[in-house]
Amino acid sequence: MKKVILITGASRGIGAATARLAAARGYAVCVNYLKNRAAAEALVADIEATGGQAIALGADVAEEAQVVELFNSVDAQLGTLTALVNNAGILETQMRVDEMDAARLNRILVTNVTSCFLCAREAVRRMSTRHGGSGGAIVNVSSAAARLGSAGEYVDYAASKGAVDTLTIGLSREVAEEGIRVNAVRPGFIYTDIHASGGEPARVDRVKQFVPMKRGGQAGEVAHAILWLLSDEASYATGTFIDLAGGR
Ligand code: NAI
């Protein structure tokens, strides 16, 4: 069966590393991006240059109508979806809970949680044997923050990832008999541009001393776990988590 994967927020960081690895493993890849079309198209060109198949599709996955259109475009351009990686996510400037306003909280929750539900819904409608599908696998990109809480930095972000963990458990049980596995990875401090959004581009180097391994992680180290969870090698794994946090 042809393997077709959609990775949300894949123009850079963990999503981009996952897209490259998925293409190398024989998936036809949809690189979803929010704004940076040029980066997404450059990634697609790279994948094609190494003999892979990929397309770039812009969509804000926090917006229901755009999610529906994104999945319909994947159907039309790549064929039946077999894998989804809910990777898109944001964090905002570091602050305490007693400083956060509702607008910020809602941005975090809609982008990090609602998007995962909407994309999972569209994936299940295509993959589930209940809907005439042939099965598939979903991996949610959660965070070690869901376990640790991110005190003084972004408890809102950590709580949104806690919701992603609960989605992973609940959905995995809901569709376990329908040919779909749902799992998650929980990265720790990974070298990507997300930390600049929190106001501290060099955050990983500051905090790596608190990691038992005494180093930050690379996006590719997360991508390998994602691809394993999606693969047939993980055929009995559902509703489970791989912590990629250097022992933290
Ligand atoms: P990143 O900022 O490079 O990637 C996130 C991507 O999501 C960006 O390309 C962004 O444009 C996209 N995005 C944001 N909102 C979107 C929307 N509404 N629609 C479509 N795309 C959207 O950061 P990174 O680190 O690669 O993050 C990937 C995932 O990994 C995120 O869910 C993040 O929370 C998670 N993570 C990252 C860790 C780290 O230390 N870098 C640690 C734990 C989890």
Side-chain angles (χ1 to χ4, degrees):
M1 194 167 78
K2 185 183 175 192
K3 299 191 291 185
V4 174
I5 189 169
L6 167 60
I7 306 165
T8 65
S11 62
R12 69 182 201 185
I14 292 168
T18 305
R20 287 179 200 279
L21 191 60
R25 299 271 172 91
Y27 286 86
V29 181
C30 175
V31 174
N32 159 250
Y33 64 93
L34 178 61
K35 290 192 189 127
N36 199 340
R37 179 176 176 175
E41 288 182 346
L43 175 58
V44 165
D46 270 6
I47 288 172
E48 288 173 342
T50 53
Q53 186 187 357
I55 58 170
L57 292 177
D60 180 342
V61 291
E63 293 285 336
E64 185 165 20
Q66 294 188 39
V67 170
V68 170
E69 198 184 326
L70 171 66
F71 277 77
N72 287 340
S73 298
V74 172
D75 292 340
Q77 295 185 43
L78 293 179
T80 309
L81 191 76
T82 60
L84 166 68
V85 181
N86 273 321
N87 168 75
I90 54 166
L91 49 72
E92 298 210 2
T93 316
Q94 296 170 2
M95 65 174 66
R96 288 165 47 97
V97 171
D98 56 14
E99 296 172 305
M100 292 177 187
D101 62 19
R104 167 185 168 128
L105 295 171
N106 290 332
R107 279 194 302 274
I108 292 288
L109 293 173
V110 169
T111 306
N112 293 358
V113 183
T114 305
S115 69
C116 292
F117 272 85
L118 293 174
C119 290
R121 179 190 78 192
E122 293 304 312
V124 168
R125 287 178 180 174
R126 285 160 175 80
M127 295 172 178
S128 169
T129 53
R130 184 188 171 107
H131 296 294
S134 308
I138 298 173
V139 170
N140 297 321
V141 181
S142 174
S143 171
R147 292 184 285 113
L148 302 170
S150 304
E153 293 192 320
Y154 12 70
V155 176
D156 53 347
Y157 169 86
S160 76
K161 296 299 187 177
V164 170
D165 284 5
T166 306
L167 165 65
T168 303
I169 295 166
L171 182 63
S172 72
R173 294 177 182 181
E174 201 164 282
V175 299
E177 278 187 289
E178 301 168 19
I180 306 174
R181 295 182 301 100
V182 185
N183 294 290
V185 291
R186 285 190 295 219
F189 304 125
I190 309 297
Y191 288 100
T192 72
D193 292 332
I194 202 169
H195 304 287
S197 324
E200 192 184 357
R203 177 168 177 258
V204 176
D205 282 330
R206 173 177 64 84
V207 294
K208 65 184 181 189
Q209 58 178 312
F210 305 117
V211 177
M213 281 188 181
K214 301 289 182 228
R215 69 171 179 88
Q218 299 295 333
E221 296 181 287
V222 181
H224 275 94
I226 293 172
L227 265 296
W228 181 77
L229 285 169
L230 292 174
S231 77
D232 291 341
E233 291 178 359
S235 53
Y236 201 48
T238 198
T240 195
F241 301 86
I242 298 183
D243 290 310
L244 303 150
R248 208 163 136 260

